[in-house]
Amino acid sequence: MAQDAPVELKLHWEPGQTYVQESDTDTTNFLTALGKTSDQKLRLHQTTRIAVQKNAQSQTEAQVLIESLLGEMTYEGKSHAFDSKNPGASHPALQQTLGGAAGRGFTLVYDAEGRFLDAKDTGSMVMGGVTPDLTSIADARQLATLYRRSLEMGLPKIPVRPGDKWISDEVVPFPQTGTVQVKLNAKFDGIVDREGRRQAQIAFEGVMKSQRDKDSTGRDLSTQRPVTLGDDSKVNGHIFFDLERKTISLAVFSATIQLKIEGKPMPVRQQVTTRLISMKPTGTP
């Protein structure tokens, strides 16, 4: 392949393969802006396993499972640890936020051309047991959508050459803040050799802002969410896309978010680093 030939940078799930990803998320909530005595820091390490297979309709199903979660919260000079293997031993706030995350999952379904069709099997992420909470059902579907959109964020819709630039404009549902518009200016920096593989390097920067909630007909609702994003929330980062395996080997997102909590501004700084740890035939150790 010539260095300047256009390449397709489209995420592909290969049936018969199992992917393992690790994500590290560092978040600082500047609570002092709300009058608290100190800020809050949260570090998370998540391992996610994605087993891919064809179904009877020749569709591709990517079964996503959150395998484990480690966390550490620092607040008012104290550190509190969380381990999904023993959630009951952690701080109540961490139990409430992270307690049921590990062991949950969902399935993403794609057609034979790789177009996304639906998210299913979200039941393990729904709260409420026998009588599930409708909001929880919606949140579970949103989390599946958020996972898929975050993987594809910044990737071009058409084949591109090194040096090409494009705008990625996505509407992403977040469980707490609702619909968020993420508009990125991206650039294909070039093809590099990384970990012995040819990989496309993409850089991006952009803005995020809350959108009004809409009803089923697309009309704006008058409901006010207690938490929204200010218009001056910014994001930047870079992606390495493995050209042979057609998947992202490394993605780094850094965001400076201006949250508004019941009208009061609270800055949040967050960095998310996601790595592909392995891609192996399903069933191999």
Side-chain angles (χ1 to χ4, degrees):
M1 188 191 299
Q3 181 74 9
D4 59 352
V7 292
E8 188 175 55
L9 306 179
K10 181 182 177 183
L11 199 67
H12 169 77
W13 297 111
E14 183 62 29
Q17 298 284 321
T18 293
Y19 302 71
V20 176
Q21 298 173 337
E22 288 187 355
S23 298
D24 289 291
T25 304
D26 287 271
T27 307
T28 302
N29 296 316
F30 292 94
L31 297 177
T32 45
L34 299 177
K36 304 287 185 182
T37 54
S38 73
D39 297 325
Q40 181 193 68
K41 295 184 179 181
L42 182 63
R43 306 193 73 174
L44 293 177
H45 179 80
Q46 178 175 309
T47 302
T48 307
R49 181 177 298 270
I50 307 101
V52 186
Q53 63 184 24
K54 285 273 189 195
N55 65 17
Q57 291 78 43
S58 292
Q59 298 165 338
T60 297
E61 295 191 349
Q63 298 171 329
V64 181
L65 175 69
I66 300 171
E67 276 203 325
S68 65
L69 201 60
L70 296 171
E72 183 183 34
M73 178 179 71
T74 306
Y75 182 55
E76 292 183 337
K78 296 178 181 176
S79 288
H80 306 278
F82 176 87
D83 186 339
S84 59
K85 292 188 179 72
N86 187 15
S90 61
H91 188 278
L94 289 174
Q95 284 187 48
Q96 185 178 0
T97 309
L98 308 173
R104 290 191 176 158
F106 47 85
T107 299
L108 303 176
V109 185
Y110 298 82
D111 68 13
E113 281 73 49
R115 291 185 291 258
F116 175 73
L117 295 175
D118 195 15
K120 65 175 192 174
D121 302 336
T122 56
S124 69
M125 304 179 74
V126 175
M127 308 292 187
V130 180
T131 54
D133 170 15
L134 289 177
T135 305
S136 180
I137 292 172
D139 284 355
R141 290 190 65 82
Q142 284 183 342
L143 285 169
T145 303
L146 178 59
Y147 173 80
R148 178 176 65 85
R149 291 280 181 81
S150 66
L151 281 181
E152 300 169 356
M153 195 79 69
L155 292 179
K157 301 283 193 277
I158 59 172
V160 288
R161 290 180 171 87
D164 281 354
K165 298 178 181 178
W166 61 92
I167 293 173
S168 168
D169 196 350
E170 299 278 354
V171 175
V172 183
F174 285 83
Q176 280 190 304
T177 56
T179 306
V180 174
Q181 182 186 22
V182 183
K183 192 170 185 177
L184 303 177
N185 294 300
K187 182 186 177 188
F188 185 0
D189 281 340
I191 296 174
V192 299
D193 186 70
R194 182 175 178 274
E195 298 176 340
R197 297 178 180 275
R198 295 177 74 249
Q199 307 208 13
Q201 183 173 353
I202 298 167
F204 59 84
E205 62 179 15
V207 294
M208 301 186 296
K209 61 181 179 180
S210 285
Q211 300 284 292
R212 294 293 293 268
D213 289 331
K214 297 180 185 296
D215 66 14
S216 57
T217 65
R219 287 181 299 192
D220 284 350
L221 295 172
S222 59
T223 50
Q224 294 290 327
R225 284 181 175 263
V227 181
T228 57
L229 262 70
D231 290 351
D232 47 354
S233 298
K234 295 179 171 60
V235 62
N236 66 78
H238 60 270
I239 298 166
F240 286 97
F241 185 93
D242 188 317
L243 294 170
E244 178 193 347
R245 298 190 286 188
K246 299 179 183 176
T247 192
I248 291 167
S249 66
L250 176 69
V252 179
F253 289 77
S254 297
T256 304
I257 302 163
Q258 305 298 331
L259 277 188
K260 288 184 179 175
I261 299 177
E262 295 179 343
K264 296 178 181 177
M266 185 190 82
V268 174
R269 192 168 60 231
Q270 186 172 74
Q271 178 163 313
V272 184
T273 303
T274 302
R275 301 175 185 82
L276 178 68
I277 300 303
S278 65
M279 174 184 168
K280 296 177 182 176
T282 300
T284 58

